Amino acid sequence: MTKSILHKSPRNRGNPTLKNQRSTKEKKMVAWDKAKGKQSTGSNQRREIERLTLPIGDTKVRLIGDVMPRYCYWVVTTEGKKMPVECLQFSRETESFDNSADDPFKEIDEAIYSDKPQFSYVCNVIDRSDGKIKLFDLRSTIYSQIVDYATNPDYGNPASDADGYDITIKKEKTGPLPQNVKYSCLPARNNSPLSEAEKGLELFELAKIYKRQTYEEQKEWLMKNTSYFAGDVSDEFKPAEDVDDLA
């Protein structure tokens, strides 16, 4: 029996079927003047982070999900950017400090950097002004008031899906400086379950956004991006404000 080698023979380069196959492939190409440039794949697209801002006056929110405990040092990079760096002596699990834990900041000469880590707890909230999920960088005074309500049996957990409640945060000026503000929290009169639409809102993944560095990773980052391990630094590289100044 003779095997057909039609698809392998060089004499069949004019075969209509092969021409159609090449034509199909060519149609998948894009003209240079119509090219869109580099595109991100769906799985790698980064979601833009939206943060809750607190203007003077009332801001109503609904806490949703858990809170992430953190304390951060505020550093100034060699490029002049102010950035938070998590304190490794503070445990997220126990919400307490362990002074025996390794911390690169404790190896820096106090004459160069001696700032204390700042309260930097963060959580997801629904901003009632637009219904969007936003990250809320909690102030310590706001956090303390919320915890007081959450641990009071007359109110309970404000982030509960079934019987949580909205909280109105009032911001008042108390002086001329940016940090001269006072916060007070007022829970809603009635508990209200989250709607099905609200339950389906996509939360920001706090564990991914605020990935905790190891001691080695943090020290390497500090050595590459700050001047704190390079001996004396000029005043321009020393933080002049703390996180509360960003109120």
Side-chain angles (χ1 to χ4, degrees):
M1 181 174 64
T2 303
K3 292 184 180 179
S4 172
I5 56 172
L6 182 64
H7 64 287
K8 295 183 180 179
S9 172
R11 289 177 294 178
N12 290 293
R13 288 175 182 166
N15 186 285
T17 302
L18 297 182
K19 283 186 177 181
N20 288 338
Q21 290 175 352
R22 285 198 298 270
S23 176
T24 302
K25 290 181 180 179
E26 288 167 359
K27 287 179 181 178
K28 294 180 181 179
M29 308 295 280
V30 177
W32 281 104
D33 61 346
K34 292 182 174 56
K36 295 181 180 179
K38 184 178 179 180
Q39 303 292 309
S40 298
T41 61
S43 59
N44 291 329
Q45 287 180 345
R46 292 189 62 181
R47 179 185 178 190
E48 183 178 352
I49 292 175
E50 280 195 84
R51 296 183 183 276
L52 182 74
T53 57
L54 297 176
I56 299 299
D58 294 348
T59 300
K60 183 182 285 188
V61 300
R62 176 63 175 263
L63 303 176
I64 185 166
D66 295 332
V67 61
M68 173 171 281
R70 301 168 73 235
Y71 269 75
C72 290
Y73 297 99
W74 283 81
V75 304
V76 177
T77 69
T78 50
E79 296 179 345
K81 295 180 180 179
K82 188 174 174 66
M83 296 186 67
V85 179
E86 187 165 351
C87 173
L88 300 182
Q89 288 193 337
F90 181 77
S91 169
R92 293 180 178 180
E93 290 73 26
T94 63
E95 292 188 71
S96 61
F97 285 92
D98 177 4
N99 293 329
S100 66
D102 290 334
D103 184 344
F105 283 88
K106 301 304 180 184
E107 301 170 14
I108 302 173
D109 189 329
E110 288 191 1
I112 296 174
Y113 188 93
S114 59
D115 289 8
K116 303 297 182 184
Q118 302 289 327
F119 182 92
S120 305
Y121 282 37
V122 64
C123 66
N124 283 280
V125 296
I126 300 175
D127 183 349
R128 287 305 192 195
S129 68
D130 57 17
K132 293 182 179 180
I133 292 290
K134 296 178 182 178
L135 284 184
F136 185 15
D137 297 297
L138 290 152
R139 309 294 189 270
S140 59
T141 53
I142 294 174
Y143 176 76
S144 297
Q145 293 177 68
I146 293 175
V147 169
D148 285 344
Y149 286 119
T151 55
N152 184 327
D154 289 339
Y155 292 95
N157 182 1
S160 169
D161 288 359
D163 53 8
Y165 46 90
D166 289 357
I167 292 177
T168 298
I169 302 167
K170 189 179 189 66
K171 180 178 180 180
E172 301 173 272
K173 285 292 293 179
T174 59
L177 299 177
Q179 63 267 36
N180 295 150
V181 293
K182 174 186 176 183
Y183 298 101
S184 53
C185 298
L186 182 66
R189 286 177 176 269
N190 300 314
N191 295 52
S192 57
L194 291 177
S195 67
E196 290 304 314
E198 289 169 342
K199 290 179 183 179
L201 291 172
E202 182 183 1
L203 304 186
F204 288 103
E205 296 185 64
L206 302 181
K208 288 187 178 180
I209 296 173
Y210 301 102
K211 185 178 179 181
R212 188 177 171 99
Q213 293 174 308
T214 64
Y215 164 83
E216 291 78 13
E217 290 170 341
Q218 189 172 102
K219 185 168 184 178
E220 181 181 2
W221 187 91
L222 288 168
M223 294 181 72
K224 287 182 177 179
N225 295 281
T226 74
S227 298
Y228 300 132
F229 282 95
D232 293 337
V233 294
S234 63
D235 288 340
E236 65 178 306
F237 289 128
K238 294 180 181 179
E241 58 183 358
D242 61 35
V243 69
D244 289 332
D245 295 330
L246 306 179

